[in-house]
Amino acid sequence: KKMFCTKGEYLKVAKEDKEETCMDCPAGKFSKANKHRRKRCKRCSINNYQPRSGAIGCYYCPEGTDTRDKRGRKKCKKAKKVS
């Protein structure tokens, strides 16, 4: 039977028996799709973060912080001073 996952989840398929499970997106990733069969979540974009799992979106980094040009971050770091 085909599983359909909801927002904040991705579809995990077991290698051994092909059993399907919906899992929460890990921190730093999200899924907005409803009733889907996607096997991975999207990564938060640069200068966005998501500390919790099962998210449907990401937050902007607070002023003075960034993700150092990385995507899929759980938190923001203090922005490096540009001299």
Side-chain angles (χ1 to χ4, degrees), residues 28-30 41-46 58 70-73:
K29 300 186 177 186
F30 71 98
C41 302
K42 293 190 168 114
R43 293 188 294 174
C44 293
S45 52
I46 289 172
C58 304
K70 300 272 197 298
R71 302 189 323 161
R73 290 293 153 182

Side-chain angles (χ1 to χ4, degrees), residues 62-78:
E63 202 171 321
T65 69
D66 62 31
T67 61
R68 308 266 161 91
D69 288 333
K70 300 272 197 298
R71 302 189 323 161
R73 290 293 153 182
K74 296 177 192 153
K75 58 181 189 264
C76 303
K77 296 180 175 172
K78 256 197 180 98

Side-chain angles (χ1 to χ4, degrees), residues 7-26:
K7 294 176 181 181
E9 296 179 338
Y10 70 97
L11 184 72
K12 186 177 182 183
V13 182
K15 286 188 179 76
E16 306 79 46
D17 55 7
K18 298 280 182 260
E19 190 172 334
E20 299 182 352
T21 330
C22 290
M23 307 283 292
D24 279 353
C25 292

